[in-house]
Amino acid sequence: MTEVQKKALESLKSIDREVYLLSHIGAALGWDQETYMPEEAVDERSEQGALLSSLGHSRVASDGLAEALEALGAGDFLLTEQGWAQAENSLAPGLTETDRALIRHVYRAHKRATCLPDSLVRELSQTTSKAQTVWAKARKQDDFESFRPYLEKIIDLKRQEAEAVGYGDHPYDALLDTYEPGMKTAEVQQVFDALGAELVPLVQAIKDAPQVDDSFLEKHYPVAGQEAFGYEVLNAMGYDLTRGRMDVTAHPFTTTLGTKDVRITTRYAENFFKTGIFSIIHEGGHALYEQGFSPEIAGTSLADGTSLGIHESQSRTWENMIGRSRPFWDHFLPRLASRFPENLKDVSSEAFYRGINKVEPSLIRVEADEVTYSLHVMLRFNLETRLITGEIAVKDLPELWRQESRRLLGIEPAKDADGVLQDVHWSFGLFGYFPTYALGNIIGAQFFQVMEQQLPDLQNMISRGDFAPILQWLRDAIHQYGSAKTAGELIRRITGGGLDSRPFMEYLRTKYRDVYRLSL
Amino acid sequence: MTEVQKKALESLKSIDREVYLLSHIGAALGWDQETYMPEEAVDERSEQGALLSSLGHSRVASDGLAEALEALGAGDFLLTEQGWAQAENSLAPGLTETDRALIRHVYRAHKRATCLPDSLVRELSQTTSKAQTVWAKARKQDDFESFRPYLEKIIDLKRQEAEAVGYGDHPYDALLDTYEPGMKTAEVQQVFDALGAELVPLVQAIKDAPQVDDSFLEKHYPVAGQEAFGYEVLNAMGYDLTRGRMDVTAHPFTTTLGTKDVRITTRYAENFFKTGIFSIIHEGGHALYEQGFSPEIAGTSLADGTSLGIHESQSRTWENMIGRSRPFWDHFLPRLASRFPENLKDVSSEAFYRGINKVEPSLIRVEADEVTYSLHVMLRFNLETRLITGEIAVKDLPELWRQESRRLLGIEPAKDADGVLQDVHWSFGLFGYFPTYALGNIIGAQFFQVMEQQLPDLQNMISRGDFAPILQWLRDAIHQYGSAKTAGELIRRITGGGLDSRPFMEYLRTKYRDVYRLSL
């Protein structure tokens, strides 16, 4: 490495550090806004957030960073793994592996921050800002037509974004890449189709089977007891409360305010026990990922989830594969029952297990169980990809939504408010985001299968409440790397193959054959 | 105003807006640190705060701002009211009164941010950073000698700061000006001396009188009841909880996170009722000031307390002159007694009033009552001013402290930990800060006297719990202006004269003649 390159690397790291700090400061403001901020403060808080974003953006897009990247040999490449593989040959010699990963990561951010024309950024921001209000009203009034022109405009702008970012095979690649760096539309399509082909009959079989009883979940569970139990579970999982905390918000989330400050939130329903605890376990799974980055990448922008799909794989593994497993409740049910003896004294471990795993196709994605959830996602993915290519038109969306819903879930919404208008995402311009939810299920099951092979005592550990080996495995295989390895690299390293829906399907089939006594 | 000047004004306002937002973002981080932040997060939080400070500083010190000020005619002037009066003649024509105030305010900040050589700023920061740790240990071990070299160094650096800032008569002027813009050392000295001459015999007379009984304050007061009562009082005072909130911290404070986001904190002692409620009223007084800036200055750096003395005048007026008055408890005691009937059923309104106004000379400033408090401040002021001029040496401080303590309070500390080492301020380099506490008492009483003349029904209003006319008076006379008027201007406008300790002394004498049945 030349002296010039050494200086360039220092300069890159110093800009990266500032971006990192600014993003955590923004997270602190966001956390406060959702938890404790007085209601009237919202306008200035938006302005404060916008200032921080613009300060971060100006650094990521800066000429100084462009020059540093240039000096380090990070020439122009496509935002795909193949593109980077080509670019790697031109990088300065003598860089550590972590430095190479950082340069890739920063290059990506720089390219994303500079490739869109200002006019497009402005138009996107103005359109989505208006669209959010219009969508909220349209959903309330079940009036898709009022939202339609905004959605058409947004899709037109997202097409322009895809062209400006660039892509290999499919314009949707460029949008998906925002949340799943390096992932291709074709790959997702193939895996989703394979999964769908097996999920639909499984859901049908469950529908035809006698329903399980979960009425004990609807008894009265006071918040204080739920919260205390939540902390008991979080502690067992290994969530470090000297570097985190839990609060209550309208919508649960995990947010990172600093290297040693990863907070979660939950919400409680006193008459539906599942709401609180599974939010806590889910967010706890996200938080363990963020608490597990190695010291080597701490303090750099690599200390971040590598993709939304990988992030979601962690939350869903803890929530579903561990948190809704039989051994988990073999351990925790007696503890829970001692807090709520009235509600649970007559509920067997088996009945509890079956009750928390109740499956029921419903219209609303956010209320879906782990079996039907991915079908909601596929529905949206199938529509999104074809909207972007122009194969389908916005005006036909309500009817197409009903068709897809019938085909995948066997039910269809009576009104658009429960159909095409149900999610906020499109009004924000979030195209390419939905698939990551289902990718989380699929990737989580792939990783879990390998973990089970490598930790043969896994189920017994869970039934003893001994989660340390599990967390250690996740840290070693996934968490420590943060964004230093892409989702594709992690999947290859851990499984030896690519994205594959079979482990998830096998997990579901085995589990629900049992829960619903199916003869599949 | 020329086109160039119009543009300069726009540019100044835009920089000021960013500084304003950055300072509120910093306040949000600070609030979180004291309330809910996980313990391990402290290191990165410091770094985040430092980044925000440096971003703010770079804007205040920027060439862009210097050019805007120059174009607007804000030439070089002394940081005194006289200096500004001269400068005003050279300002661009056609500026509104608010714009002129903003330019003065921004000029001050710019000059303060640019007048110190970088080397001095760095040395001050490094020295005080180390000195804080050394001081904490020295106080713990009652070892002044270990702190002495650091204090000597800090005083040397503060002298250099005074020279770099510039001053009229006394080097301490330049330090005092940081917290009390435009205030002169000589003026404070004169007023303090006059006050001291009358306070010392009053304290002696109280010491010689039979002590009042306040044992009912030391019964058990559970936090929940104290908090609910605190909210009742805050609501009556007019503190707007849709634009604020109250939390618990180790040391109570008020902080502004946004134009519509002014928060307070308190602490509770379950076995000493006074701690919680008087902190709440005190901080509530600060918060009402910050909630009362006029829309005209909202969103600019003028929306800030004009000096620490004025700020303290607001908190002390509410805490002492209103909150420790007989009519206040005529109204609130029955309400308090209904929350704590066991503790208060046999306590008459008169006994309660006398109990909460107990006076007792003590060694520790932060525990002092409203009569002796100012004496603690004078002690420090007398030493600080002479340390800066070099009239006294650091090595003689412990003995000089004891002498002053004897002279003013009639008692002296047995150890330096309760004497010269008791306050954190000097280790931070905060010279010129202490006098503002006593100025708050003095100015508060001056304003209160005028308010009483203008609201003849004042005492009855208080006894009815009707604080709206009081808040309106404070808003009209003081709050609305924020920093658009200096402390000196406010005092002149409201009282027609200058700083004067007589109203405070008269208030104390009248009140404590009554509380202690004195024949003074």
Side-chain angles (χ1 to χ4, degrees):
Chain A
M1 226 181 342
T2 65
E3 281 308 309
V4 170
Q5 288 171 330
K6 277 185 196 161
K7 285 222 161 132
L9 185 60
E10 262 175 52
S11 159
L12 180 144
K13 286 183 177 178
S14 139
I15 295 171
D16 182 67
R17 179 74 185 166
E18 223 172 292
V19 172
Y20 176 85
L21 292 170
L22 287 167
S23 109
H24 284 172
I25 296 169
L29 296 189
W31 176 86
D32 180 68
Q33 178 161 354
E34 300 303 321
T35 51
Y36 298 113
M37 190 183 78
E39 52 190 293
E40 291 290 324
V42 68
D43 289 344
E44 188 179 329
R45 181 53 53 88
S46 303
E47 212 184 330
Q48 293 165 355
L51 173 60
L52 287 171
S53 297
S54 104
L55 289 171
H57 179 269
S58 75
R59 277 149 187 77
V60 173
S62 67
D63 292 344
L65 187 56
E67 285 158 22
L69 285 163
E70 183 71 33
L72 289 162
D76 207 32
F77 64 92
L78 278 177
L79 292 178
T80 59
E81 291 194 53
Q82 289 78 356
W84 182 256
Q86 288 160 10
E88 281 209 299
N89 297 322
S90 65
L91 286 189
L95 291 163
T96 66
E97 206 183 331
T98 305
D99 285 344
R100 295 170 79 88
L102 181 63
I103 294 169
R104 171 171 66 179
H105 194 68
V106 168
Y107 178 88
R108 251 186 67 78
H110 177 69
K111 178 156 184 185
R112 282 247 159 222
T114 51
C115 67
L116 302 187
D118 285 350
S119 58
L120 178 58
V121 172
R122 213 170 23 246
E123 226 182 332
L124 262 169
S125 155
Q126 285 165 355
T127 308
T128 55
S129 171
K130 272 187 240 152
Q132 288 158 43
T133 317
V134 172
W135 166 80
K137 204 174 156 197
R139 186 169 78 150
K140 210 168 178 181
Q141 304 183 340
D142 189 32
D143 174 19
F144 179 74
E145 272 306 298
S146 66
F147 181 51
R148 186 175 58 78
Y150 290 87
L151 187 53
E152 283 169 347
K153 177 82 184 168
I154 288 170
I155 287 165
D156 179 48
L157 294 170
K158 296 307 279 190
R159 276 191 206 125
Q160 292 178 40
E161 181 183 319
E163 295 303 325
V165 172
Y167 52 86
D169 311 317
H170 196 294
Y172 192 80
D173 286 358
L175 306 177
L176 179 61
D177 181 86
T178 318
Y179 315 105
E180 282 298 322
M183 187 71 77
K184 296 301 209 58
T185 308
E187 201 178 354
V188 176
Q189 185 75 63
Q190 193 182 12
V191 171
F192 278 9
D193 286 347
L195 181 62
E198 301 202 60
L199 261 186
V200 170
L202 176 64
V203 170
Q204 189 54 52
I206 292 173
K207 266 174 86 175
D208 294 342
Q211 187 52 287
V212 300
D213 173 26
D214 70 346
S215 58
F216 57 88
L217 296 172
E218 294 179 19
K219 296 187 173 169
H220 185 67
Y221 292 84
V223 163
Q226 289 195 53
E227 188 187 64
F229 180 69
Y231 278 115
E232 194 178 337
V233 171
L234 286 171
N235 274 318
M237 288 168 65
Y239 177 58
D240 182 351
L241 279 157
T242 67
R243 301 187 291 150
R245 52 178 288 119
M246 177 166 70
D247 296 273
V248 174
T249 52
H251 301 281
F253 61 88
T254 301
T255 182
T256 295
L257 290 70
T259 308
K260 298 183 179 172
D261 192 351
V262 180
R263 308 185 189 181
I264 66 170
T265 73
T266 188
R267 63 178 159 195
Y268 299 102
E270 295 210 316
N271 294 311
F272 195 46
F273 175 71
K274 279 207 304 192
T275 303
I277 190 61
F278 289 108
S279 287
I280 290 172
I281 302 174
H282 181 96
E283 301 306 331
H286 281 304
L288 288 175
Y289 186 16
E290 297 273 327
Q291 285 192 338
F293 304 133
S294 83
E296 211 183 333
I297 61 167
T300 75
S301 61
L302 290 175
D304 196 5
T306 193
S307 81
L308 292 191
I310 295 293
H311 231 307
E312 201 68 13
S313 79
Q314 298 309 294
S315 55
R316 303 237 172 186
T317 293
W318 283 100
E319 179 193 349
N320 294 328
M321 311 194 74
I322 299 171
R324 292 185 206 262
S325 73
R326 194 180 259 117
F328 186 89
W329 290 103
D330 285 345
H331 176 72
F332 277 113
L333 183 59
R335 287 161 174 80
L336 181 66
S338 78
R339 292 183 189 275
F340 302 104
E342 293 298 306
N343 298 350
L344 296 169
K345 62 176 187 297
D346 298 326
V347 180
S348 71
S349 169
E350 181 66 14
F352 190 89
Y353 171 65
R354 296 182 73 196
I356 58 166
N357 282 299
K358 180 176 176 179
V359 169
E360 198 163 43
S362 73
L363 295 169
I364 306 300
R365 175 183 57 84
V366 297
E367 294 166 5
D369 51 74
E370 66 173 328
V371 181
T372 58
Y373 195 96
S374 303
L375 295 168
H376 289 269
V377 170
M378 288 173 204
L379 185 167
R380 288 153 180 77
F381 174 77
N382 291 340
L383 298 178
E384 276 192 355
T385 49
R386 291 188 288 157
L387 282 167
I388 292 298
T389 58
E391 284 169 76
I392 60 174
V394 172
K395 72 173 170 48
D396 300 322
L397 263 189
E399 178 49 31
L400 289 166
W401 186 286
R402 284 189 289 269
Q403 280 176 22
E404 279 290 282
S405 185
R406 243 182 347 252
R407 183 174 76 82
L408 293 166
L409 291 157
I411 50 176
E412 66 169 64
K415 47 184 192 170
D416 292 336
D418 294 335
V420 68
L421 285 172
Q422 81 178 257
D423 298 304
V424 73
H425 299 57
W426 290 345
S427 72
F428 272 90
L430 297 177
F431 281 77
Y433 194 107
F434 280 123
T436 67
Y437 292 124
L439 290 172
N441 286 331
I442 292 168
I443 299 169
Q446 289 189 264
F447 292 166
F448 197 80
Q449 193 179 57
V450 177
M451 178 164 62
E452 274 191 303
Q453 286 155 11
Q454 297 181 0
L455 299 176
D457 194 37
L458 181 66
Q459 298 298 330
N460 287 327
M461 289 171 188
I462 297 176
S463 68
R464 287 194 306 269
D466 176 15
F467 301 101
I470 296 174
L471 180 55
Q472 194 58 52
W473 190 92
L474 294 170
R475 290 223 157 123
D476 291 345
I478 303 155
H479 300 179
Q480 61 164 320
Y481 299 113
S483 295
K485 303 211 179 296
T486 64
E489 285 168 342
L490 288 177
I491 295 171
R492 255 194 315 282
R493 282 172 65 99
I494 294 171
T495 69
L499 193 64
D500 184 352
S501 66
R502 284 171 301 179
F504 180 52
M505 197 57 226
E506 194 180 315
Y507 155 75
L508 288 183
R509 207 185 334 259
T510 308
K511 178 169 177 180
Y512 287 93
R513 208 154 34 193
D514 175 21
V515 170
Y516 278 92
R517 320 298 196 221
L518 307 177
S519 51
L520 279 178
Chain B
M1 225 180 344
T2 65
E3 281 308 308
V4 170
Q5 288 172 328
K6 278 185 196 160
K7 285 221 161 131
L9 185 59
E10 260 173 55
S11 159
L12 179 144
K13 286 183 177 177
S14 139
I15 294 170
D16 181 67
R17 178 73 187 169
E18 223 172 291
V19 172
Y20 175 85
L21 291 171
L22 287 166
S23 110
H24 285 172
I25 295 169
L29 295 189
W31 175 86
D32 180 67
Q33 178 160 356
E34 300 302 322
T35 51
Y36 298 113
M37 191 183 79
E39 53 191 290
E40 291 290 324
V42 68
D43 289 345
E44 188 179 329
R45 182 53 55 88
S46 303
E47 212 184 328
Q48 294 166 354
L51 173 60
L52 287 172
S53 298
S54 102
L55 289 172
H57 180 270
S58 74
R59 276 147 187 78
V60 173
S62 66
D63 292 344
L65 188 57
E67 284 157 23
L69 285 163
E70 182 70 33
L72 289 162
D76 208 32
F77 64 92
L78 277 176
L79 292 177
T80 60
E81 292 194 54
Q82 289 78 358
W84 181 256
Q86 288 160 10
E88 283 211 295
N89 297 321
S90 65
L91 285 189
L95 291 163
T96 66
E97 207 181 329
T98 305
D99 285 343
R100 294 171 80 89
L102 181 63
I103 294 169
R104 169 169 68 180
H105 194 67
V106 169
Y107 179 89
R108 251 186 65 79
H110 178 70
K111 178 156 183 183
R112 282 247 159 223
T114 52
C115 67
L116 302 188
D118 285 349
S119 58
L120 178 57
V121 173
R122 212 166 27 243
E123 226 181 333
L124 262 169
S125 156
Q126 285 164 356
T127 308
T128 55
S129 171
K130 273 187 240 155
Q132 288 159 42
T133 317
V134 173
W135 166 80
K137 202 173 156 198
R139 187 170 77 152
K140 210 169 178 181
Q141 304 183 339
D142 190 33
D143 174 18
F144 179 74
E145 271 307 297
S146 65
F147 181 51
R148 186 177 57 79
Y150 290 88
L151 187 54
E152 283 169 345
K153 176 82 182 167
I154 289 170
I155 287 165
D156 179 48
L157 295 169
K158 296 306 278 189
R159 276 190 205 124
Q160 292 178 41
E161 179 182 320
E163 295 303 324
V165 172
Y167 52 87
D169 311 318
H170 196 294
Y172 191 81
D173 286 359
L175 306 178
L176 180 61
D177 180 86
T178 318
Y179 315 105
E180 282 299 320
M183 187 73 77
K184 296 301 209 60
T185 308
E187 201 179 355
V188 176
Q189 186 75 64
Q190 194 182 12
V191 170
F192 279 7
D193 287 348
L195 180 63
E198 302 202 60
L199 261 185
V200 170
L202 175 63
V203 171
Q204 190 54 53
I206 292 173
K207 266 173 87 175
D208 295 342
Q211 187 51 289
V212 300
D213 173 26
D214 69 347
S215 57
F216 57 87
L217 296 172
E218 294 179 19
K219 295 186 173 169
H220 185 67
Y221 293 83
V223 163
Q226 289 195 51
E227 187 186 65
F229 181 69
Y231 278 115
E232 193 178 337
V233 171
L234 286 171
N235 273 319
M237 287 167 67
Y239 176 58
D240 181 352
L241 278 156
T242 67
R243 301 187 291 152
R245 51 178 288 119
M246 176 166 71
D247 296 271
V248 174
T249 52
H251 301 281
F253 62 88
T254 300
T255 182
T256 295
L257 290 71
T259 308
K260 297 183 180 172
D261 192 352
V262 180
R263 308 187 189 182
I264 67 170
T265 73
T266 189
R267 63 178 159 195
Y268 299 101
E270 293 209 317
N271 294 310
F272 195 45
F273 174 72
K274 278 208 305 193
T275 303
I277 190 62
F278 289 109
S279 286
I280 291 172
I281 303 175
H282 181 97
E283 302 306 331
H286 281 303
L288 288 176
Y289 186 15
E290 297 273 328
Q291 286 192 336
F293 304 134
S294 81
E296 210 183 335
I297 61 168
T300 76
S301 62
L302 289 175
D304 196 6
T306 193
S307 81
L308 292 190
I310 295 293
H311 231 307
E312 201 68 12
S313 78
Q314 298 310 293
S315 55
R316 304 238 171 187
T317 293
W318 283 102
E319 178 192 351
N320 295 328
M321 311 193 75
I322 299 170
R324 293 184 204 264
S325 73
R326 194 179 261 118
F328 186 89
W329 290 102
D330 285 345
H331 176 72
F332 278 112
L333 184 58
R335 286 162 174 79
L336 181 66
S338 77
R339 293 184 188 273
F340 302 104
E342 293 298 306
N343 297 351
L344 296 169
K345 63 177 187 293
D346 298 326
V347 180
S348 70
S349 168
E350 181 66 14
F352 190 90
Y353 171 65
R354 295 181 73 196
I356 58 166
N357 283 298
K358 181 177 175 180
V359 169
E360 198 162 43
S362 73
L363 295 170
I364 308 299
R365 175 183 57 84
V366 297
E367 294 166 5
D369 51 72
E370 65 173 328
V371 180
T372 57
Y373 194 97
S374 304
L375 295 167
H376 290 268
V377 169
M378 289 173 203
L379 185 166
R380 288 153 180 78
F381 174 77
N382 292 339
L383 298 177
E384 276 192 355
T385 50
R386 290 187 290 155
L387 281 166
I388 292 299
T389 57
E391 284 169 78
I392 60 174
V394 172
K395 71 172 171 50
D396 301 323
L397 263 190
E399 177 51 29
L400 290 167
W401 186 287
R402 286 188 287 271
Q403 279 177 24
E404 279 290 282
S405 185
R406 245 183 344 255
R407 184 174 74 82
L408 292 166
L409 290 156
I411 50 177
E412 65 169 64
K415 48 183 192 169
D416 292 336
D418 295 335
V420 69
L421 285 172
Q422 79 177 257
D423 298 304
V424 74
H425 300 56
W426 289 345
S427 72
F428 272 90
L430 297 177
F431 281 77
Y433 194 108
F434 281 123
T436 67
Y437 292 125
L439 290 173
N441 288 331
I442 292 167
I443 298 168
Q446 290 188 263
F447 291 166
F448 198 80
Q449 192 178 57
V450 176
M451 179 164 60
E452 274 191 301
Q453 287 155 10
Q454 296 181 359
L455 299 177
D457 194 36
L458 181 65
Q459 298 297 330
N460 286 327
M461 288 171 190
I462 297 177
S463 67
R464 287 194 306 269
D466 175 15
F467 300 102
I470 296 174
L471 181 55
Q472 194 58 52
W473 190 93
L474 294 170
R475 290 222 157 124
D476 291 346
I478 303 155
H479 300 179
Q480 62 164 322
Y481 299 113
S483 295
K485 301 209 181 299
T486 64
E489 285 168 340
L490 288 177
I491 296 170
R492 255 193 316 282
R493 282 171 65 96
I494 294 171
T495 70
L499 192 65
D500 184 352
S501 66
R502 284 171 300 179
F504 181 53
M505 198 55 227
E506 195 180 313
Y507 155 76
L508 289 181
R509 205 184 336 256
T510 308
K511 177 170 178 179
Y512 287 93
R513 211 156 31 195
D514 173 22
V515 170
Y516 279 92
R517 320 298 195 220
L518 307 176
S519 52
L520 280 175

